[in-house]
């Protein structure tokens, strides 16, 4: 990988990380269509340090408040009922599933899960799930001859059950094409949360797992036998940070008034296009993989 490829992939990572379209799938597809080597799961994990740094800065006040309340809850019993303290504990709880499954399925994540046929399928399937969840969230509740919007939950309504279910939804993102934000937002909508609450918690929940994964994969960058070197990876991470910060702000404004329909249509269209390219022989399912 050279600096140009790293910069392009960093741009793709930053633009797609927080949208429910799967950044890992887009990195894999972009490299395959461009005729580049597959950047690999390690490159994806490390560049996500850049996008998660954007989350840390964008939500810095929320994070500082949550961390403070969580720390105080260790010694002050009354703080354990505080919303911020509870969110801190639930983020930890929700990180456990993806941490365990990430270790168990590490070889599959770095190998078979990167098959473009699987990615195309997950793009379509999760897109339809997101569309169904969004429809459910906006569906009215019949009351006689009238229909009123369903009362939606917000972050203060988070429970242990919801925190664990959010975490299970997030773990599906270990498969490229699912999308971490897409899976957790879909889960949140089905659990009854508002679009904005589901998205904000999705960003907060992702931080521990993504940062830990990125730090863990640092050892796989550069050195003998590594798929990518440090220079392009650093460039990609910096670009991902800058574009990711802008993407967060735009996405939160967008979903406050609009549905996820454009993302659903995009996912399904991209998945179908990818399947067509694979069926026509334009690209192979393991394009760019080591030894391809």
């Amino acid at each position: 990988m050279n600096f140009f490829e790293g910069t392009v992939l960093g741009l793709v990572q930053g633009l797609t990380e927080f949208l429910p379209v799967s950044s890992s799938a887009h990195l894999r597809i972009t490299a395959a269509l461009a005729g580049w080597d597959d950047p690999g799961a390690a490159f994806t994990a490390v560049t996500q340090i850049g996008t998660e740094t954007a989350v840390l800065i964008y939500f810095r006040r929320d994070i500082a408040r949550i961390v403070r309340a969580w720390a105080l809850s260790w010694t002050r019993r009354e703080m354990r009922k505080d919303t911020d303290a509870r969110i801190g504990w639930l983020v930890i709880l929700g990180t456990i599933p993806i941490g365990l499954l990430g270790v168990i399925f590490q070889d599959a994540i770095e190998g078979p899960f990167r098959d473009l046929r699987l990615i195309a399928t997950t793009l379509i399937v999760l897109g339809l799930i997101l569309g169904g969840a969004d429809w459910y969230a906006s569906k009215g509740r019949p009351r006689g001859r009238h229909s009123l919007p369903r009362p939606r939950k917000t972050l203060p309504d988070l429970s242990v059950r919801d925190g664990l279910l959010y975490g299970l939804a997030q773990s599906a993102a270990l498969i490229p094409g699912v999308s971490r934000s897409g899976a957790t937002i879909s889960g949140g909508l089905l659990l009854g949360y508002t679009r904005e609450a589901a998205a904000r918690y999705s960003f907060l929940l992702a931080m521990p797992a993504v940062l830990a994964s990125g730090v863990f994969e640092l050892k796989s960058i550069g050195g003998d036998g590594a798929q990518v070197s440090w220079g392009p990876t650093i460039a990609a991470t910096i670009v991902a940070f800058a574009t990711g910060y802008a993407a967060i702000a735009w996405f939160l404004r967008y979903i406050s008034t609009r549905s996820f329909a454009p993302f659903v249509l995009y996912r399904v269209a991209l998945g179908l296009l990818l399947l067509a390219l694979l069926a026509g022989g334009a690209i192979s399912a393991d394009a760019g993989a080591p030894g391809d």
Side-chain angles (χ1 to χ4, degrees), residues 22-33:
S22 179
S23 61
S24 57
H26 278 74
L27 290 177
R28 179 75 178 93
I29 293 170
T30 299
L33 294 179

Side-chain angles (χ1 to χ4, degrees), residues 144-160:
R145 298 174 58 187
H146 303 283
S147 179
L148 299 176
R150 292 177 181 272
R152 309 298 294 177
K153 294 188 284 187
T154 57
L155 292 186
D157 298 312
L158 273 170
S159 63
V160 172

Side-chain angles (χ1 to χ4, degrees), residues 30-79:
T30 299
L33 294 179
W36 303 338
D37 290 338
D38 178 3
F43 174 85
T44 301
V46 172
T47 56
Q48 284 176 334
I49 293 177
T51 48
E52 289 311 308
T53 300
V55 174
L56 285 169
I57 294 176
Y58 189 88
F59 291 108
R60 60 189 180 278
R61 293 185 179 87
D62 292 348
I63 294 169
R65 192 178 64 247
I66 290 169
V67 170
R68 179 178 179 277
W70 174 80
L72 288 174
S73 72
W74 279 85
T75 56
R76 293 169 55 180
R77 185 181 298 273
E78 68 275 11
M79 286 299 297

Side-chain angles (χ1 to χ4, degrees), residues 45 48 52 91 94-99 170-171 174 180 203-216:
Q48 284 176 334
E52 289 311 308
V91 165
T95 302
I96 295 173
I98 196 171
Q170 178 181 232
S171 64
L174 292 170
R180 187 186 308 273
F203 296 160
L204 294 173
L205 179 62
M207 283 189 298
V210 172
L211 290 173
S213 175
V215 171
F216 177 78

Side-chain angles (χ1 to χ4, degrees), residues 217-267:
E217 292 291 359
L218 287 173
K219 67 183 188 317
S220 301
I221 305 297
D224 296 335
Q227 287 181 250
V228 291
S229 58
W230 274 109
T233 302
I234 292 174
T237 303
I238 293 172
V239 172
F241 162 75
T243 54
Y245 189 90
I248 296 172
W250 176 84
F251 184 59
L252 288 176
R253 285 197 303 270
Y254 176 89
I255 63 171
S256 64
T257 57
R258 302 181 187 179
S259 76
F260 289 103
F263 302 109
V264 174
L265 294 174
Y266 173 77
R267 288 182 64 103

